[in-house]
Amino acid sequence: MKNWLIGAALLAFAATSADAQTTKLKYAFVNPMGSHFGAAATAFKQSVEKDSDGRIKVDIFPGGSLGGEREIIESVQLGTIDMAMTSTSVVGNFAPEVLVFDIPFLFRDTAHARAVVDGPVGQDILKKFAAQNLVGLGYGENGFRHLTNNKRVVKAPADISGMSIRTMENPIHVRAFSQLGARPTPIAWPELYAALQQGVVDGEENPLSNVITAKFFQVQKYLALTGHVYAPTAILMAPTVWNKLSAEDKKIIEAGVAKAISAQRAEVEKLEATGVETLRSAGMEINEVDKAPFVALIEPAYADFAKRFGQKTIDAIRDTK
């Protein structure tokens, strides 16, 4: 009997030790699992669990199951969520420097945007997240944002005058759409589909990847390919978690983040390549726009953007090759 008790105690101790050596990461985002966010999360989970020989486990919480992006970011700050991938536009409410990427018509194309966020400008901004109790690990991608609505074809700024457009909780987006004559209306992502379905707002603006995976084509008729803002994503970690990791485990996390970014960008490229035809087949009426009138109308806001972010930073972005 005594030997049996000793054996049971040893087994219990071994199990407790094994659990203590396992790091479990709660990874959250608001998009569906079948989206480019899900592709990133899956790549991260597979990479980290394999490279750590199972010592690090990743539990994925998609679809806004742990709240909207603002709530998720606040939870990462508090350490109740370990990791998150969110749009940088909402991160900007916490680390305002990142909102420089939301200046309309700032980026020439996807290659230019990626070179900026992966280069000195983007990495310097990422480091500033630390002051807001966030660890910035890298930038993924949503793609360029376009405009959808249920009222009319949009070919010129006059076509959106007075139209209620859902934006994120982002002062740059709100300023830009106000400048264009629209009525910007911030609505959290988990509530957006219902808001469009019920006519709370006339339209919204998102990359094709989000329009497709969130099935906005079911509740929006018109799509104007404005490409007005490039939308990166940010991979965040709670400092309370990051600071406890060994140097080896930090490298494993960083390698997983690199694979997550690569997977997300690849998925966005696929969605962009087929997105217009997918949405047209789903019944949306789609048109190109001449961006010049939009740029001209937003021009007065650029002086304010330069004051806010520094002309030097804006010039460095524009000069990036």
Side-chain angles (χ1 to χ4, degrees), residues 5-306:
L5 289 172
I6 292 172
L10 289 172
L11 285 173
F13 176 77
T16 302
S17 298
D19 285 343
Q21 293 171 3
T22 300
T23 298
K24 292 185 178 180
L25 299 177
K26 188 186 293 185
Y27 182 120
F29 51 94
V30 299
N31 296 65
M33 192 62 199
S35 69
H36 51 301
F37 278 73
T42 299
F44 178 80
K45 176 181 173 71
Q46 291 174 345
S47 174
V48 167
E49 291 184 353
K50 179 183 177 183
D51 289 353
S52 69
D53 294 323
R55 285 186 299 100
I56 303 174
K57 301 288 187 184
V58 181
D59 293 328
I60 299 172
F61 295 84
S65 58
L66 299 183
E69 288 196 319
R70 177 183 282 272
E71 290 80 14
I72 288 173
I73 295 167
E74 288 172 346
S75 295
V76 173
Q77 288 179 313
L78 293 170
T80 54
I81 292 176
D82 303 312
M83 289 191 67
M85 176 176 267
T86 73
S87 61
T88 55
S89 295
V90 180
V91 178
N93 290 293
F94 302 83
E97 297 87 353
V98 77
L99 290 179
V100 70
F101 300 144
D102 288 86
I103 294 176
F105 306 107
L106 180 61
F107 295 100
R108 296 186 295 273
D109 51 32
T110 298
H112 176 216
R114 289 178 181 176
V116 170
V117 298
D118 292 342
V121 173
Q123 297 308 300
D124 284 349
I125 290 173
L126 207 60
K127 292 173 185 175
K128 296 182 186 298
F129 290 10
Q132 303 304 320
N133 207 37
L134 295 166
V135 177
L137 295 173
Y139 298 101
E141 182 172 272
N142 272 313
F144 278 88
R145 305 181 77 85
H146 305 287
L147 180 67
T148 73
N149 83 94
N150 262 338
K151 295 199 78 172
R152 65 182 73 93
V153 173
V154 172
K155 292 185 177 180
D159 296 325
I160 66 170
S161 180
M163 194 182 290
S164 58
I165 303 294
R166 178 270 178 178
T167 67
M168 288 180 285
E169 298 173 86
N170 180 316
I172 307 303
H173 289 202
V174 170
R175 173 67 197 279
F177 277 94
S178 295
Q179 193 74 30
L180 291 171
R183 291 188 289 114
T185 307
I187 296 175
W189 177 263
E191 302 165 17
L192 178 53
Y193 186 95
L196 295 170
Q197 187 176 44
Q198 295 165 13
V200 175
V201 287
D202 299 317
E204 60 81 48
E205 47 86 48
N206 258 295
L208 296 183
S209 54
N210 284 349
V211 175
I212 293 168
T213 57
K215 299 184 179 179
F216 290 155
F217 54 82
Q218 296 177 342
V219 290
Q220 294 277 270
K221 180 172 177 56
Y222 304 104
L223 167 62
L225 298 172
T226 51
H228 50 278
V229 168
Y230 174 73
T233 62
I235 299 182
L236 309 171
M237 180 172 266
T240 51
V241 177
W242 178 255
N243 293 335
K244 290 178 183 177
L245 294 175
S246 66
E248 177 188 358
D249 284 352
K250 284 180 179 177
K251 288 181 181 179
I252 289 172
I253 295 295
E254 288 170 342
V257 165
K259 290 181 180 177
I261 291 169
S262 180
Q264 188 172 59
R265 289 177 176 176
E267 190 65 20
V268 168
E269 286 172 3
K270 281 197 290 184
L271 290 167
E272 292 279 351
T274 60
V276 170
E277 286 310 312
T278 296
L279 294 171
R280 186 172 279 128
S281 297
M284 293 194 82
E285 188 172 331
I286 303 172
N287 64 280
E288 301 276 352
V289 302
D290 177 6
K291 296 180 182 180
F294 290 86
V295 174
L297 202 56
I298 291 176
E299 185 70 34
Y302 290 161
D304 291 341
F305 296 151

